[in-house]
Amino acid sequence: MDVLGSRIVIVAFDGWNDAGEGASGAVEALRAANDYELVHAVDPELYFDYQYTRPSSQMDAEGRRQLTWPEAGLWRPRHPAPGPEFWVLTGVEPARTWQAFASEFIDVALRDDITGVVTLGAMLSDVPHTRPISIFASSQNEQVREAHGLERSLYEGPVGILSVFEHFAESAGIPTASLWASVPHYVATATPSPKVTLALLDRLEELTGVDVPRDSLRTEAAAWEASIDAAAADDEDMAEYIRQLERTRDTWDSPEASGDAIAQAFERYLRRRDDGPGDRKR
C-alpha cells in the first residue's frame, strides 16, 4: 500500500496560503466532482477574528435575512469509489489558537482512520503565466519522500496554518505531503486562477494515483491565459517584463539548471512574508 494510504485528507484554506485562489479552487473542484458530507466543523467563535473575516449577510428564498459565519470543516465522500479516497478539509485560515485548531481536526482524523494528509498552497512568485505552473512538492516524512521522490524543505521562518497542520499530523503518526503552486504575481488580481488550480490537481493525481475529472478546468485555464495575453498585448512594459520572466524560467528548466531552483524560490517567497503568518492578504 502507498505510504499515504487509502484515506487521504486534502487540505486547503482561504487566505495567506491561497494566492489567486489556486489552492481553494482545487479543493472546490474535488468537492464538485463527488458528493460530500460534513464530518466535523469547528465553532467559529473559537478560531476566527470577525474584524478580519467578517460574517456575511444574504436573503434566503423567503426573503429573510441570514448570516453566514466564517467556517472550516472536514468533508468525506458520501459514496466512496473503490481505491484511495479523498476527504477534504477546507475553510478560512484561523486567526487564533492554531494549536487547538489543528489538534481538533487531528483528533477527528485519528478517530476516522485517516491514513495520509496532502496540503495545497499557492504563493505569488516571479514566474510567467505563459509557462507551466511550477509546483514545489515536499514532505517532512522520509518514507513519503522516498516513495514519491519529493523534496525536503529546509526553510526556517514564519509559517502559515498548513505548516502547523502538517506538524501536528506528523506528530500524530499521519504521513503528510505538501504541494505549493507558484502564481504569477503580476496577475494577482486575476482571480480565480484556473491554470494554477489545474496544475495542483495534475500534481495531486500524479502523487496519489487518484483520478480527478478536470476537463472544464483545462478550458478555463486556456481562457485565463488568453485574457492575460490580451492585456499584455496592450502594455509594452508588461509584455517586456513577461519576456524577462520567460527567459529566467527557461534557464531554470534547462538541463544545466539546479534541481533546487523551485525549492529556493519557495523559500525566498516565505522569507519575504515578513508581515507574519497571520496576515490576511490574498
Side-chain angles (χ1 to χ4, degrees), residues 56-68:
S56 61
S57 172
Q58 60 276 319
M59 297 295 186
D60 65 14
E62 286 75 37
R64 294 172 299 194
R65 187 174 300 280
Q66 302 290 332
L67 289 179
T68 301

Side-chain angles (χ1 to χ4, degrees), residues 239-275:
E240 175 55 30
Y241 180 64
I242 292 171
R243 287 191 288 269
Q244 292 176 14
L245 293 177
E246 289 172 336
R247 289 191 289 269
T248 300
R249 173 62 185 273
D250 292 344
T251 299
W252 282 5
D253 289 344
S254 69
E256 296 79 16
S258 167
D260 295 331
I262 295 177
Q264 292 170 359
F266 173 70
E267 294 181 0
R268 284 197 301 271
Y269 162 79
L270 290 176
R271 290 193 179 95
R272 286 202 304 267
R273 299 305 298 261
D274 56 5
D275 44 11

Side-chain angles (χ1 to χ4, degrees), residues 43-277:
D43 181 351
E45 295 291 317
L46 300 178
Y47 302 115
F48 300 115
D49 185 336
Y50 299 142
Q51 292 189 45
Y52 288 92
T53 310
R54 294 181 179 272
S56 61
S57 172
Q58 60 276 319
M59 297 295 186
D60 65 14
E62 286 75 37
R64 294 172 299 194
R65 187 174 300 280
Q66 302 290 332
L67 289 179
T68 301
W69 300 88
E71 61 182 5
L74 177 65
W75 301 73
R76 67 184 171 203
R78 195 180 300 273
H79 306 291
E85 63 186 47
F86 286 156
W87 292 37
V88 169
L89 173 56
T90 189
V92 178
E93 183 184 51
R96 52 177 176 260
T97 56
W98 283 13
Q99 296 183 70
F101 179 88
S103 295
E104 183 171 335
F105 279 115
I106 293 300
D107 286 345
V108 176
L110 292 172
R111 181 197 71 192
D112 288 341
D113 298 322
I114 294 301
T115 59
V117 168
V118 179
T119 61
L120 306 182
M123 57 184 175
L124 296 177
S125 189
D126 298 329
V127 295
H129 72 283
T130 53
R131 298 294 188 263
I133 298 295
S134 299
I135 303 293
F136 177 55
S138 67
S139 176
Q140 296 305 309
N141 186 294
E142 183 177 0
Q143 289 181 304
V144 175
R145 291 199 304 273
E146 291 179 354
H148 296 283
L150 305 185
E151 301 283 345
R152 181 185 183 188
S153 175
L154 301 178
Y155 167 75
E156 296 177 293
V159 298
I161 189 61
L162 295 181
S163 296
V164 174
F165 198 86
E166 291 162 21
H167 174 79
F168 275 76
E170 288 285 351
S171 297
I174 304 174
T176 68
S178 175
L179 304 178
W180 277 79
S182 295
V183 181
H185 71 87
Y186 56 90
V187 295
T189 58
T191 56
S193 305
K195 187 174 181 177
V196 177
T197 293
L198 179 62
L200 281 168
L201 291 176
D202 286 345
R203 189 66 178 89
L204 180 63
E205 180 176 300
E206 181 182 333
L207 177 68
T208 64
V210 178
D211 181 48
V212 180
R214 52 197 184 278
D215 289 341
S216 62
L217 269 175
R218 293 188 175 94
T219 302
E220 293 167 12
W224 178 83
E225 185 170 339
S227 69
I228 300 168
D229 289 342
D234 294 331
D235 186 335
E236 181 54 36
D237 290 340
M238 180 180 179
E240 175 55 30
Y241 180 64
I242 292 171
R243 287 191 288 269
Q244 292 176 14
L245 293 177
E246 289 172 336
R247 289 191 289 269
T248 300
R249 173 62 185 273
D250 292 344
T251 299
W252 282 5
D253 289 344
S254 69
E256 296 79 16
S258 167
D260 295 331
I262 295 177
Q264 292 170 359
F266 173 70
E267 294 181 0
R268 284 197 301 271
Y269 162 79
L270 290 176
R271 290 193 179 95
R272 286 202 304 267
R273 299 305 298 261
D274 56 5
D275 44 11

